[in-house]
């Protein structure tokens, strides 16, 4: 019996291409202005993030330009750096609020969330994007506000890396769910392997327009249609 479902976002519920073509460029263009002069209400958060970036670089006196160069490199290399994800989340929040951004989910996601929640499953998200970014993503989709479907959100800052079985054990403990009753859906084999090692059930997702990911060894689907508890 599946009592909890944990969903990845990029390549699973949502198009990775859409993120790379819309969200990543949007944040990239705003790195320097945000680091130099954050919008009202964001200054304290950005200062904390800047301190993390300087610590990560081992350069306590790094300039805004130096930090922006590092962030651009992390974006280009798809580095799952928590400080980058936090700053992107803040930038995207302003983009959603202004109407500049609308997030993407595949057409089968809303029916699946409705079906699973109606069957009594608790729904969660575990993504490399910050919790803030995850919440805004599901609040502002082309299918409407889907945030109410989810009980909790987890990122690589807490509980940790997505390819580490300890992260999945932590999530199971915090949701008070039996690992054997949790289903993890992702397009990444290392993540699926880690979840399985933690005792979870797994479902690989390979979207037709997604990256050439590999999910061998795991049951794999191209759509959530027909995926029942």
């Amino acid at each position: 019996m599946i009592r909890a479902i944990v969903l990845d976002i990029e390549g699973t519920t949502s198009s990775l291409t859409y993120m790379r073509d819309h969200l990543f460029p949007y944040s990239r263009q705003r790195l320097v202005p945000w680091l130099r002069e954050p919008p009202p209400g964001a200054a304290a958060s950005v200062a904390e993030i800047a301190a993390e970036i300087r610590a990560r670089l081992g350069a306590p006196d790094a300039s805004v330009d130096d930090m922006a160069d590092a962030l651009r490199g992390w974006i280009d290399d798809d580095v799952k750096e928590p400080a980058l994800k936090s700053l992107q989340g803040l930038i995207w929040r302003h983009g959603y609020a202004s109407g500049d951004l609308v997030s993407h989910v595949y057409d089968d996601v809303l029916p699946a969330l409705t079906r699973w929640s109606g069957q009594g499953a608790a729904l969660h998200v575990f993504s490399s994007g910050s919790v803030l970014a995850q919440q805004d993503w599901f609040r502002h989709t082309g299918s409407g506000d889907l945030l109410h479907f989810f009980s909790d959100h987890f990122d690589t800052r807490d509980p940790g890396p997505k390819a580490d079985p300890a992260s999945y054990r932590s999530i199971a403990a915090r949701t008070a769910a039996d690992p054997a009753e949790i289903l993890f859906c992702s397009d990444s084999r290392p993540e699926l392997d880690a979840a399985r090692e933690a005792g979870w059930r797994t479902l690989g997702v390979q979207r037709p327009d997604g990256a050439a990911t590999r999910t061998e060894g795991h049951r794999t689907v191209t759509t959530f249609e027909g995926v029942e508890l």
Side-chain angles (χ1 to χ4, degrees), residues 21 48 113 142 163 178 196:
D21 290 349
E48 184 177 335
L113 298 179
D178 185 324
R196 174 177 285 170

Side-chain angles (χ1 to χ4, degrees), residues 129-190:
S130 68
V131 167
L132 176 70
Q134 296 173 28
Q135 293 170 337
D136 284 332
W137 181 268
F138 284 108
R139 186 180 284 119
H140 299 279
T141 80
S143 296
D145 184 350
L146 307 184
L147 185 60
H148 62 94
F149 283 106
F150 298 100
S151 301
D152 213 341
H153 298 258
F154 304 94
D155 60 23
T156 53
R157 187 185 298 275
D158 181 18
K162 295 184 70 182
D164 186 347
S167 299
Y168 299 87
R169 295 189 187 102
S170 176
I171 291 174
R174 289 163 59 181
T175 59
D178 185 324
E181 296 179 338
I182 305 174
L183 176 67
F184 178 56
C185 306
S186 172
D187 67 330
S188 167
R189 182 177 178 181

Side-chain angles (χ1 to χ4, degrees), residues 7-223:
L7 296 164
D8 171 50
I9 297 179
E10 297 178 25
T12 301
T13 66
S14 307
S15 169
L16 180 59
T17 300
Y18 183 89
M19 288 192 171
R20 289 181 174 170
D21 290 349
H22 296 275
L23 267 74
F24 289 176
Y26 188 89
S27 62
R28 185 188 183 102
Q29 293 165 5
R30 289 159 176 79
L31 293 173
V32 170
W34 269 70
L35 287 168
R36 185 161 286 144
E37 190 173 351
S45 296
V46 172
E48 184 177 335
I49 292 168
E52 289 186 43
I53 297 169
R54 291 186 172 105
R56 173 78 161 77
L57 296 175
D61 298 322
S63 68
V64 165
D65 288 336
D66 291 336
M67 288 189 289
D69 284 343
L71 291 168
R72 293 187 195 102
W74 294 342
I75 292 172
D76 292 343
D77 296 336
D78 197 22
V79 176
K80 311 301 185 183
E81 174 59 45
L84 167 62
K85 298 300 183 180
S86 295
L87 183 57
Q88 286 178 317
L90 290 172
I91 294 172
W92 292 334
R93 166 156 285 190
H94 277 250
Y96 290 123
S98 68
D100 290 342
L101 296 174
V102 175
S103 56
H104 169 271
V105 294
Y106 292 106
D107 290 341
D108 57 280
V109 171
L110 174 56
L113 298 179
T114 303
R115 183 170 68 252
W116 296 333
S117 62
Q119 294 171 341
L123 305 179
H124 311 283
V125 178
F126 184 22
S127 173
S128 58
S130 68
V131 167
L132 176 70
Q134 296 173 28
Q135 293 170 337
D136 284 332
W137 181 268
F138 284 108
R139 186 180 284 119
H140 299 279
T141 80
S143 296
D145 184 350
L146 307 184
L147 185 60
H148 62 94
F149 283 106
F150 298 100
S151 301
D152 213 341
H153 298 258
F154 304 94
D155 60 23
T156 53
R157 187 185 298 275
D158 181 18
K162 295 184 70 182
D164 186 347
S167 299
Y168 299 87
R169 295 189 187 102
S170 176
I171 291 174
R174 289 163 59 181
T175 59
D178 185 324
E181 296 179 338
I182 305 174
L183 176 67
F184 178 56
C185 306
S186 172
D187 67 330
S188 167
R189 182 177 178 181
E191 295 173 8
L192 294 165
D193 289 346
R196 174 177 285 170
E197 187 173 334
W200 293 21
R201 300 188 190 188
T202 58
L203 182 68
V205 181
Q206 291 186 336
R207 297 293 188 173
D209 63 341
T213 56
R214 306 177 72 86
T215 56
E216 293 98 331
H218 301 270
R219 177 193 172 198
T220 298
V221 298
T222 59
T223 173

